[in-house]
Amino acid sequence: MKLRTSLRAAVAAGLILATVGIGAGSASATEKDGWLTDGEFGLFCYKNQTNAVFDLYGSDSNFGDDFFKGSQSCANQLVDNYTESYLNKDVYAWTVYTGWAGQGYSATLPVGARGNTTSTFTNTISSAFFV
């Protein structure tokens, strides 16, 4: 009887831990982890939203210290001046700039926007802010 009670307690504890573990993963977006999820804005190193993604949840005034993550060929490349396409999965519009701290040329990308950068922005984006 004592063994049976111990086994039930162990199974119950395992179920609780499994439930907590499953629920914790979907609580919110985690920026700059190389995975573009709902609520984030993504800049890709190649055209047509391919290869590695730089995923933002909050504004970033300087891409000079940010790197692409993952196992794609752009992984470990500096994000600054190295993007060719975008996808906005956020609930806010985003404005990208060719200079740090919102300087230089700018373009605002509305919610749901997806595309390749124009010649003005190809491999020149250095900062981004949600609007």
Side-chain angles (χ1 to χ4, degrees), residues 1-17:
M1 186 68 155
K2 194 173 189 179
L3 177 61
R4 186 177 204 175
T5 304
S6 296
L7 287 174
R8 282 186 178 176
V11 169
L15 289 174
I16 290 170
L17 289 174

Side-chain angles (χ1 to χ4, degrees), residues 80-108:
D80 189 37
N81 296 321
Y82 199 62
T83 56
E84 296 183 0
S85 61
Y86 56 86
L87 174 56
N88 187 359
K89 294 182 79 172
D90 202 347
V91 296
Y92 298 101
W94 280 76
T95 301
V96 295
Y97 296 88
T98 57
W100 293 346
Q103 300 296 309
Y105 293 104
S106 67
T108 299

Side-chain angles (χ1 to χ4, degrees), residues 22-40:
I22 290 169
S26 60
S28 65
T30 303
E31 73 173 343
K32 300 180 183 180
D33 63 355
W35 295 96
L36 183 61
T37 58
D38 289 341
E40 293 182 323

